[in-house]
Every structure is written in C-alpha cells, then in structure tokens.
Amino acid sequence: MEQAQWVDELTSICSKYFQEADKMRLSENNKLQTMRIFRIPAHEKILVALINSSFGSGKDGLVVTCSAVYRKKWWSLTRFSWDKLISSDIAAIDANTVRLKDNIMVKIKRKDSAHLVAEMLREIQEAAGRHFQKPQYGQKESADTLIAMSLEDIDYDHKVDSFYMRDICFRYYWYPHYWTGVDVPDKKMQLLCNHFEIEKKEWVYGIVYPSKSALGKYGMVVHSQGVKWRNSDNAPVCWSWSEVLLNKVEKQGGAIRAGNVRLLEGADSYLAKAWQLVNNIQLYLEGILADGCPIRYDYDTAYSKVRAMPIPSSEEEALWLPVENGMPLPMLRTNELKWAIETGQVDWQQLSVWTRGMPGWLMVERVEQFKEMVGDKV
C-alpha cells in the first residue's frame, strides 16, 4: 500500500474515536512541545495526542503519528513501529490504564476512557497487520516464493542514517580543501557526478578536493550510497558503507592508502581532511553496530542542542557518539561532552555513549571518564 493511502486510513481510524480539536489539531506551540518531549522526528505528522498531566508535568501519555505510536510514562519512552505494534497485546487494564505490551502501560485521562483508546489501538493494529506484516521465516509469500533469510543476506548499509552522515560531513564546513554538497554550484556538481559516476538521485554530502581547479574531478566524495575516491583519470574506487567499515585507511608517504591501493595523494593539508572525515564515518559505522546500540529514532537536527562548543578541544581527545533517550546527537570530543553535561544541554540520566575501545554502549554514568562528573549530580 502507498504511504498516502495508509495515512488516509490511519487518519480515518483516529478521527472515528477522537474528533475533538485538542486531540486532532494541536496548536503550533503544543505540537512543537509534544514532538520535543516524545522525541518525534520533525518530518512526522501527529494524528492524535492524548497527554496526561495528572502529575502536573503534561509530559506523559500517548501520541499516534503517521509512522508509529509513542508512549511515555515518567522517564520511560517507548516507540511502537507498526511491526512492533502488530505483535503487541493491547488491552484496557482499568478505566484509565492501557497495556500495550507485557509491563508497558500508559495512563489515560479519565474523560478519554482507556477502553476507547485500547479499541482504537487494536483497530490500528489490525490495519497495520494487513498492510505491513511480512511472512515469517519459512512461510510462503505466494505459491511460488519461499521467504528464507540467513546472516549472509543481511546488509549493514540499511542501518546508516543519511541525515546523521550529512551532519558528520558538515563538521568540516569551514576547512580548506572541503566543500559541502549543498554549496556546490550546479555546473561543478554536474562535473562531479560525471567524473565520479554518481547518479542524479543520490545526495552528495561532502567533497574533499586537492585544489579549486580540481574540484569535481579528483578527491573523495561522500554520497548517499557510500564513499568514492578518484586519484587520477582512472575509474573511481567505489565503496559502499559496508566496504568503508571493513577497509583500514592509513595516511602515509604523501598518500592515503587502503592496503596496496593508493586512494589519494597530494599535499598533507588535503589528505588530512580526507583521512579525518573517513575516520569519523568509520567511527559512526562501528558505533551503530556495537553491542547494545540504543538508537531508536532517525537523526533530526531539531533536537540537537549541542553544536557550537565555546571550549577548547583537541584531535587527541576521544570522539564520542552520544544518544539521548534514543535520539542520536552530534559526535563530541571528551571535553565537549563534559561541557554539554555540566551545562545541562544533555540529560545525562538518559545519555548513552560509545567510543572506540568500548565493547558496547554504556550509560554515561558507568563510563570512567564521566563517573566523577555525573556522580556529583546524583
């Protein structure tokens, strides 16, 4: 089913149960506040917002959007994608409590009726089951097609968040030998796409180039499908995100190498930017595959409160991937992350972090570098 048709059906179900203006048509201020509190990406549309303010916070309740159901109770936030909702055991426990799954409950205002909310969610669940449920392993999708999966069939590339990758590239906005894709003039972009064999439908995030005259012809290009290197008039070396992750890149002897392949060569200031950028990309790719990765939502700069850092940091400091309550934040150096915690720009109680050398993701208070700092706040 097309997305537009699904949204229409979902809207119809929601409006059948809640037609009041305060549930279906939020004011702009209430909409922004709800999206911030429930960690709803900016591109999603809110269909129903059932906010419970019994504790005076106005921060608990249930929100239905075009792509998921969000439940919040105190500090616990859960996002039910349609696949997850399909397998949920939805029921009204009492007049103002709805159980979504196991011990995951949500409180509903008495006037809204938990039984009515549960009935609406079950109807959404049934509709989602018709449109989104996929055949299980070994089941036939049709008379001629058998669904079967193995580890070899799983492609890591689908895990990459394109907006987060664009943010990684944007870190180098003011550096020489570097342009962001959005700033490249049309003629240069056409030249670049021709030389690097990039299709028009692909996004170009960043370009590292040896000189202005060579912009669009040689260098390293980060685009929506991976990374491309071009050191001469030969065909470019093309890596998918999986290949970027698996290749060890080194800067030595006036060149950037991967094994015996010379990917780029030239001035050190030019090579340094390419090496730093691909190193940051590899760090991100390693992080999203590390044990216990807590990312639950697509990256959205609207929720990124920690960007410009008025404190000194150096390249020698560890670079961290922080995730606040399921939402990825920009990569930060150790000193920058400490400053963000100290100034309250991140909620350390809901902050998970990862950097190289860690076997898996940890809550920030369990990481040695930050124990003393957050310990004072307990």
Side-chain angles (χ1 to χ4, degrees):
M1 168 177 270
E2 294 183 2
Q3 179 67 13
Q5 291 176 305
W6 166 246
V7 171
D8 288 344
E9 181 172 353
L10 190 59
T11 304
S12 176
I13 294 172
C14 293
S15 60
K16 184 168 76 173
Y17 290 91
F18 295 99
Q19 298 180 0
E20 300 98 318
D22 63 330
K23 305 296 188 304
M24 299 290 289
R25 293 182 292 277
L26 298 177
S27 68
E28 194 62 29
N29 285 342
N30 286 341
K31 176 186 173 184
L32 292 174
Q33 183 187 38
T34 301
M35 296 184 80
R36 183 176 66 252
I37 291 169
F38 282 80
R39 298 296 188 195
I40 300 171
H43 64 270
E44 291 196 35
K45 178 184 177 183
I46 295 177
L47 298 179
V48 170
L50 303 171
I51 306 300
N52 175 26
S53 56
S54 58
F55 293 97
S57 64
K59 296 181 179 179
D60 302 327
L62 186 99
V63 176
V64 181
T65 73
C66 291
S67 61
V69 174
Y70 295 79
R71 165 265 188 193
K72 193 171 188 297
K73 184 179 180 183
W74 299 344
W75 295 107
S76 175
L77 176 65
T78 310
R79 180 183 188 272
F80 286 83
S81 62
W82 303 131
D83 287 342
K84 192 173 180 180
L85 190 72
I86 289 167
S87 61
S88 298
D89 182 21
I90 300 168
I93 302 302
D94 55 39
N96 67 331
T97 307
V98 175
R99 182 187 68 210
L100 294 169
K101 190 171 186 178
D102 300 328
N103 62 342
I104 300 177
M105 314 286 181
V106 61
K107 288 289 185 181
I108 303 296
K109 285 182 179 179
R110 289 188 181 277
K111 69 173 185 177
D112 291 332
S113 173
H115 297 281
L116 193 67
V117 174
E119 190 176 337
M120 177 190 73
L121 291 175
R122 283 195 294 267
E123 188 167 342
I124 293 174
Q125 182 185 51
E126 183 182 345
R130 292 196 305 270
H131 301 309
F132 296 102
Q133 194 163 36
K134 299 177 182 178
Q136 300 298 310
Y137 177 85
Q139 287 183 340
K140 285 190 174 182
E141 186 177 31
S142 65
D144 303 315
T145 307
L146 181 68
I147 303 298
M149 289 189 67
S150 64
L151 289 175
E152 288 74 21
D153 297 325
I154 299 174
D155 185 3
Y156 288 135
D157 292 350
H158 75 281
K159 293 178 177 289
V160 174
D161 186 324
S162 59
F163 287 99
Y164 197 85
M165 192 62 69
R166 186 172 65 175
D167 194 79
I168 292 174
C169 293
F170 197 78
R171 291 171 67 93
Y172 295 90
Y173 185 76
W174 298 111
Y175 283 84
H177 300 291
Y178 183 81
W179 268 19
T180 60
V182 294
D183 281 349
V184 179
D186 291 340
K187 288 185 178 180
K188 285 286 186 183
M189 182 61 76
Q190 185 60 53
L191 178 67
L192 179 135
C193 291
N194 290 341
H195 280 279
F196 283 84
E197 301 174 6
I198 297 173
E199 297 182 15
K200 288 184 179 180
K201 64 181 180 181
E202 296 178 21
W203 288 0
V204 174
Y205 303 134
I207 308 137
V208 184
Y209 56 90
S211 64
K212 285 289 184 183
S213 60
L215 175 60
K217 191 171 183 180
Y218 306 118
M220 183 183 85
V221 175
V222 183
H223 62 108
S224 55
Q225 303 301 314
V227 175
K228 294 195 176 186
W229 311 78
R230 202 164 196 267
N231 195 41
S232 63
D233 290 332
N234 295 326
V237 176
C238 307
W239 289 353
S240 66
W241 296 125
S242 298
E243 290 170 317
V244 174
L245 179 66
L246 296 173
N247 277 284
K248 184 178 180 181
V249 178
E250 298 179 311
K251 183 169 73 73
Q252 55 178 269
I256 289 182
R257 299 171 177 269
N260 296 322
V261 179
R262 293 169 69 91
L263 298 169
L264 295 178
E265 53 189 4
D268 187 69
S269 58
Y270 156 53
L271 300 179
K273 297 300 166 289
W275 185 83
Q276 289 169 3
L277 178 54
V278 76
N279 189 57
N280 287 1
I281 291 172
Q282 287 178 326
L283 177 73
Y284 166 64
L285 296 174
E286 291 168 30
I288 61 177
L289 298 179
D291 290 344
C293 181
I295 296 174
R296 298 199 304 273
Y297 310 121
D298 294 337
Y299 178 70
D300 195 322
T301 55
Y303 301 100
S304 176
K305 300 170 287 185
V306 286
R307 299 193 67 85
M309 293 289 162
I311 43 95
S313 61
S314 68
E315 295 293 332
E316 285 70 39
E317 292 180 42
L319 191 59
W320 298 84
L321 293 178
V323 173
E324 184 183 20
N325 199 19
M327 178 66 71
L329 301 175
M331 294 189 292
L332 300 171
R333 300 278 174 194
T334 303
N335 212 18
E336 295 171 336
L337 186 53
K338 287 181 177 179
W339 178 81
I341 294 171
E342 186 64 32
T343 54
Q345 296 194 62
V346 295
D347 183 352
W348 65 269
Q349 293 178 307
Q350 302 188 65
L351 190 67
S352 302
V353 294
W354 183 87
T355 191
R356 283 197 180 103
M358 292 175 58
W361 287 76
L362 290 174
M363 296 299 290
V364 72
E365 67 264 26
R366 296 179 58 195
V367 179
E368 194 63 38
Q369 292 91 324
F370 307 102
K371 273 185 179 179
E372 186 177 346
M373 166 173 285
V374 298
D376 298 335
K377 298 178 181 292
V378 177

